[in-house]
Amino acid sequence: LTSRDRDVVEKMFLEGDIRVLVATATLAWGVNLPAHLVIVKGTEYYDGKTSRYVDYPVTDVLQMMGRAGRPQFDTHGIACVMVAEGKKNFYKKFLYEPFPVESRLNMRMEENLNAEIASGTVRSVGDAVGYLTWTFFARRVKMNPSFYGAESAEDEDIEEFLYQTIKGSLENLREHGCIEVGEGEETIGDQDKVRRTALGLAASNFYLQHQTPMQMRQGSREVRNILSAKLETLGTEEPKMPPSNGKPNPLGPYNLPAEAETAAVAHALYVLAKTCEFNELPVRHNEEHMNADLSAKLPWGPDSAAALNAGGGGGG
């Protein structure tokens, strides 16, 4: 539906002009539509990244059920969840015996740790371990060690697990240029100092994943190399910045041949699209076929190869 049509439908449902409303899973988060009865027709959705059906997060199912019997609209509500027979006991147990809340910090450990290093809160490996021990993640590792991969709930095993978690995250950050550790040694020691880098500061300031700044830096260098190769093929010297009012103009535009400019822009967009931030964009069922058709119609192709190879210059 268009935005206008959606607003009309929502208004009519809230005012009682529509008694039955069929909605997508966005009802869980994006729309505030209370109802007396909510029917969740299935607990799976198609994941385009893995090309298979996967379960909705239980939090999403709870949000859908929570639309029934909202306090300001109704005194009680009814929620009906249609689920496969094999998962019936799971959902019954979840609804009547709620699972404990677990930490997901380990899924974004590098980003959180990098932010603390960039802000100056963490200045050494010891600081990083100390920081982690005060988190909800550390509490849950102690209470549920097998869920996170710790050997046991013994203090020694928990300490070793937290240390190895920090060490692995620091190694990942160093590999992607976000931090410097110690004096450049290959292994990370317990007493090593950690220092932020320009890439790490950029990742923290702009809320980027820790791989992205290095991807962008390498991509910009590739664009520069592509430009040089394309200009060499065209027999054109690398352009100089035009002066501005008789003074150097560091921000002025390059006067590039159209073919070289096209190749540079194509690869710059390709580098941007390859960053990790786009990995989590959902793909709906059969949408990959539409994306393939769209890619076939792109002037540069899905990987910018057409623009780079036009005229025989450059490389992808």
Side-chain angles (χ1 to χ4, degrees):
L1 295 177
T2 64
S3 177
R4 180 176 179 276
D5 289 342
R6 186 169 60 249
D7 292 341
V8 170
V9 172
E10 291 178 14
K11 181 179 179 181
M12 294 179 69
F13 184 77
L14 285 171
E15 294 178 352
D17 297 324
I18 296 177
R19 305 301 300 274
V20 177
L21 178 64
V22 180
T24 63
T26 54
L27 178 67
W29 299 105
V31 182
N32 184 23
L33 290 180
H36 179 72
L37 169 65
V38 170
I39 300 175
V40 181
K41 185 181 177 295
T43 57
E44 295 181 338
Y45 70 98
Y46 183 78
D47 182 11
K49 292 176 64 177
T50 58
S51 298
R52 63 187 180 91
Y53 284 91
V54 297
D55 291 320
Y56 280 114
V58 288
T59 51
D60 283 14
V61 176
L62 280 178
Q63 285 288 333
M64 297 177 199
M65 296 171 60
R67 302 301 173 189
R70 302 298 287 273
Q72 65 269 40
F73 297 97
D74 211 336
T75 57
H76 69 284
I78 302 172
C80 175
V81 181
M82 296 184 177
V83 63
E85 183 66 29
K87 299 176 182 177
K88 183 177 179 180
N89 290 334
F90 168 81
Y91 279 96
K92 287 179 66 176
K93 182 177 178 63
F94 173 75
L95 292 174
Y96 296 108
E97 301 176 25
F99 297 144
V101 176
E102 299 293 352
S103 172
R104 305 298 285 175
L105 179 62
N106 52 327
M107 305 299 293
R108 286 288 183 267
M109 185 66 71
E110 286 82 2
E111 284 72 29
N112 283 273
L113 194 55
N114 179 65
E116 299 298 334
I117 295 172
S119 66
T121 303
V122 171
R123 300 176 182 271
S124 67
V125 176
D127 287 347
V129 175
Y131 156 78
L132 190 59
T133 58
W134 287 96
T135 61
F136 178 66
F137 171 77
R139 300 294 188 274
R140 290 309 305 166
V141 171
K142 179 71 173 177
M143 297 299 297
N144 193 4
S146 61
F147 181 83
Y148 298 95
E151 289 291 332
S152 72
E154 297 294 328
D155 290 343
E156 291 183 358
D157 289 334
I158 297 299
E159 290 176 6
E160 178 64 18
F161 175 78
L162 295 180
Y163 173 73
Q164 292 300 330
T165 299
I166 287 294
K167 185 177 178 181
S169 298
L170 291 176
E171 288 175 347
N172 285 337
L173 289 172
R174 181 172 65 175
E175 179 184 350
H176 290 91
C178 292
I179 63 170
E180 295 175 347
V181 182
E183 301 301 325
E185 301 92 345
E186 184 175 347
T187 58
I188 297 178
D190 298 357
Q191 305 302 321
D192 282 347
K193 300 294 183 181
V194 294
R195 299 174 297 280
R196 70 187 185 189
T197 64
L199 296 183
L201 190 60
S204 175
N205 287 345
F206 297 104
Y207 302 97
L208 303 174
Q209 295 191 34
H210 68 281
Q211 305 98 324
T212 299
M214 179 169 281
Q215 282 182 299
M216 297 301 294
R217 184 178 69 178
Q218 292 175 341
S220 63
R221 291 174 178 174
E222 291 170 2
V223 170
R224 176 71 181 185
N225 293 336
I226 288 169
L227 268 177
S228 298
K230 183 67 70 173
L231 292 173
E232 182 178 350
T233 301
L234 296 173
T236 306
E237 293 184 3
E238 289 198 30
K240 303 295 190 296
M241 285 289 189
S244 176
N245 298 326
K247 298 180 180 180
N249 181 16
L251 299 180
Y254 281 112
N255 294 319
L256 293 172
E259 188 175 320
E261 183 175 344
T262 296
V265 171
H267 194 69
L269 291 175
Y270 174 60
V271 170
L272 181 63
K274 282 185 63 179
T275 55
C276 298
E277 279 68 20
F278 290 98
N279 289 346
E280 298 178 2
L281 287 179
V283 179
R284 293 170 293 184
H285 184 43
N286 288 329
E287 194 174 49
E288 68 273 17
H289 303 302
M290 298 173 59
N291 291 338
D293 293 340
L294 179 62
S295 295
K297 298 176 182 178
L298 294 176
W300 299 326
D303 59 358
S304 73
L308 300 182
N309 295 326

